[in-house]
Amino acid sequence: MPPEPMSEAELDADAVDRMLLQRMSAGDRAALAVMYRGYHGRLVRFLSRLTRRTDVVEEAINDCFWIAWQKAATFQGDSRVSTWIMGIAYRCGLKALRQHGSEPVDEDSVPEDRTPSHDPGEDREMRDWLGKGLDRLSADQRVVIELVYGIGHTLDDVATIMQCPVGTVKARLFHARVKLRNVLPGLAGERTINREIVP
Amino acid sequence: MTFQKDIGRDCPRAWEAMPWVLQGDASPVQGAWLNMHLAECQACREEFAQQERLRAALALSPELDIDAEAGLARLLSRIDEADPQQAAPSRRAASSHWMTRALVAAVLVQAVGIGVLGIKLGGDGAGHAAAPVYRTLSQEAAPAAPGSLHVVPVATLKVAEWNTLLRQYHLRVVGGPNDVGAYTLVSTDGNAPTPQTLQGLRADPGIRFAEPVTDTP
């Protein structure tokens, strides 16, 4: 499916990001701080699909902005700034995982205050439901799911972020969806899916 | 009833369209087509419902609670440590040139003034040996002007880095900063700073200007 042109809101957000990046290239730390705060939540969620280790996520985020600060002047504008940032974060996340090991933290080692303070029963149930499904996916599949359903990137964006062909992204997305469908209890009971529907 | 039995010709197309319709990135035509398909296909309807739930679950706040401000502070420290001169490369490049010239000129004028004053006081002292000499407490504590240095650190130099430099070259501050930000330094051992000290200070990126007071005309 060909991607739709960017919406007005997306264009506005990208224009702001480009302005911030331009100021960063001139050494403006205030612009860096705005960019950092603006992307922090998104990056925490994105990188937490790669690992649940807080230290690794923190390191990857700071490595990402360290690179963005240094490379701001080299941004070519071929993609949205957000796509560029997410791509850097993805590679920093993989690098941090290689350096620290990809073993997830033990549930019991996650401090109480690390969990969201407001987590009503319905949210908790949904988190558990999602966690069960994502645990069955590969890291790359989790990343694709987050980028498409969580953040709302197009296939082309995801291909740019993960530096792979669009076909690879499509395959990862498809297999992730099949696994999720087979693993997660659906709204109308569990089913299996036929491979014939591969696009 | 299994999903397999429900698969129709349009189901793969519907399956592929679902994420983009959910995102709001699909065209109105594609959205309308999917709605029509969902109305007549229970399997795709169930799949779409699960996709909506997946999207809602992914939209929940992350379980990891990481402090953005603490992370930002660490990043800024890292930038500082890596190279304080790179803090604002372009602006610095643009502004430091005229600023350095202005500071150098101001300090030179001041040094000339101090030199002239010193000669005048020396001459007066010879002719008025018996006259009481007025001294401030600061003059009492500081060594004589000969051998002292005028040094202007860069604005971004941290106190800890400044102190390290002083220790490294065995210097201490006896005056300043004056109106142009110049400090007067003397050796902690009472001797005149060596040419190596002066050379080292001038080569240090944290020092904008370093000149011996007595060498200034």
Side-chain angles (χ1 to χ4, degrees):
Chain A
M1 189 198 84
E4 285 289 297
M6 279 194 280
S7 68
E8 198 168 321
E10 286 172 332
L11 282 171
D12 286 348
D14 194 52
V16 170
D17 280 350
R18 281 171 191 261
M19 181 267 292
L20 290 173
L21 211 54
Q22 193 175 22
R23 284 171 51 190
M24 279 165 61
S25 71
D28 186 339
R29 291 179 185 215
L32 172 67
V34 171
M35 182 84 93
Y36 189 97
R37 292 185 184 111
Y39 275 88
H40 190 267
R42 201 184 315 180
L43 290 179
V44 168
R45 203 172 63 186
F46 170 54
L47 292 166
S48 69
R49 305 300 176 208
L50 273 179
T51 175
R52 295 195 59 230
R53 285 185 52 170
T54 304
D55 58 335
V56 175
V57 171
E58 283 181 317
E59 181 181 324
I61 291 174
N62 272 25
D63 284 349
C64 168
F65 278 99
W66 169 250
I67 291 171
W69 171 254
Q70 291 181 317
K71 305 279 184 193
T74 66
F75 175 69
Q76 299 293 317
D78 299 334
S79 66
R80 280 187 288 173
V81 175
S82 61
T83 306
W84 185 68
I85 296 275
M86 299 305 284
I88 297 172
Y90 174 63
R91 290 186 289 283
C92 288
L94 292 180
K95 186 182 167 196
L97 275 180
R98 280 197 299 274
Q99 288 173 342
H100 295 282
S102 57
E103 286 299 311
V105 286
D106 184 10
E107 282 290 337
D108 296 336
S109 69
V110 179
E112 287 295 321
D113 60 1
R114 288 285 188 190
T115 57
S117 52
H118 298 289
D119 200 8
E122 194 180 336
D123 284 0
R124 171 48 54 193
E125 188 187 336
M126 202 173 263
R127 275 184 212 286
D128 291 345
W129 176 83
L130 177 67
K132 279 178 195 165
L134 294 184
D135 282 349
R136 299 292 294 272
L137 305 184
S138 69
D140 279 344
Q141 288 172 342
R142 288 197 301 271
V143 165
V144 171
I145 288 289
E146 172 63 31
L147 290 172
V148 171
Y149 291 94
I151 301 177
H153 282 295
T154 64
L155 286 174
D156 287 333
D157 285 346
V158 180
T160 303
I161 290 166
M162 301 184 83
Q163 293 189 327
C164 64
V166 171
T168 304
V169 176
K170 284 174 103 169
R172 285 174 182 164
L173 181 61
F174 174 78
H175 290 299
R177 286 175 64 183
V178 170
K179 269 193 197 173
L180 289 176
R181 184 177 177 92
N182 289 337
V183 168
L184 295 174
L187 296 179
E190 297 195 24
R191 292 163 302 276
T192 56
I193 191 167
N194 193 318
R195 296 258 173 175
E196 286 172 18
I197 65 169
V198 173
Chain B
M1 184 174 70
T2 66
F3 187 77
Q4 186 173 353
K5 285 177 185 172
D6 290 338
I7 292 174
R9 271 187 324 178
D10 289 337
C11 290
R13 185 180 163 195
W15 170 276
E16 198 173 352
M18 286 177 192
W20 322 116
V21 172
L22 276 170
Q23 278 187 7
D25 278 348
S27 67
V29 172
Q30 192 167 20
W33 176 86
L34 181 64
N35 279 334
M36 279 178 56
H37 177 78
L38 294 180
E40 60 192 28
C41 177
Q42 185 186 344
C44 284
R45 218 165 34 242
E46 289 169 0
E47 172 63 16
F48 192 69
Q50 179 151 304
Q51 296 281 296
E52 284 180 315
R53 194 173 189 211
L54 174 64
R55 188 160 186 261
L58 284 163
L60 293 172
S61 57
E63 287 192 66
L64 299 182
D65 188 12
I66 298 177
D67 185 356
E69 293 307 315
L72 177 60
R74 276 194 293 277
L75 175 65
L76 293 175
S77 297
R78 183 177 174 183
I79 290 171
D80 273 340
E81 287 164 15
D83 187 357
Q85 296 296 310
Q86 272 190 347
S90 299
R91 276 188 315 173
R92 291 182 61 85
S95 63
S96 64
H97 193 58
W98 69 264
M99 181 70 86
T100 304
R101 285 186 173 189
L103 282 169
V104 167
V107 173
L108 282 176
V109 167
Q110 186 192 39
V112 168
I114 289 172
V116 169
L117 187 62
I119 292 167
K120 188 173 187 314
L121 285 176
D124 288 351
H128 301 83
V133 177
Y134 178 79
R135 287 185 162 189
T136 64
L137 285 175
S138 61
Q139 284 170 324
E140 190 74 43
S148 59
L149 301 175
H150 275 159
V151 174
V152 181
V154 296
T156 54
L157 190 70
K158 294 176 181 172
V159 174
E161 294 166 344
W162 172 244
N163 288 336
T164 302
L165 272 177
L166 293 180
R167 277 196 300 276
Q168 182 183 347
Y169 294 108
H170 307 289
L171 297 169
R172 65 188 176 93
V173 178
V174 295
N178 61 14
D179 291 344
V180 295
Y183 289 85
T184 308
L185 309 183
V186 296
S187 288
T188 52
D189 56 12
N191 298 325
T194 63
Q196 287 76 22
T197 296
L198 195 59
Q199 206 169 9
L201 286 173
R202 284 171 175 164
D204 195 285
I207 299 300
R208 191 186 291 278
F209 175 84
E211 280 296 328
V213 172
T214 51
D215 287 350
T216 309

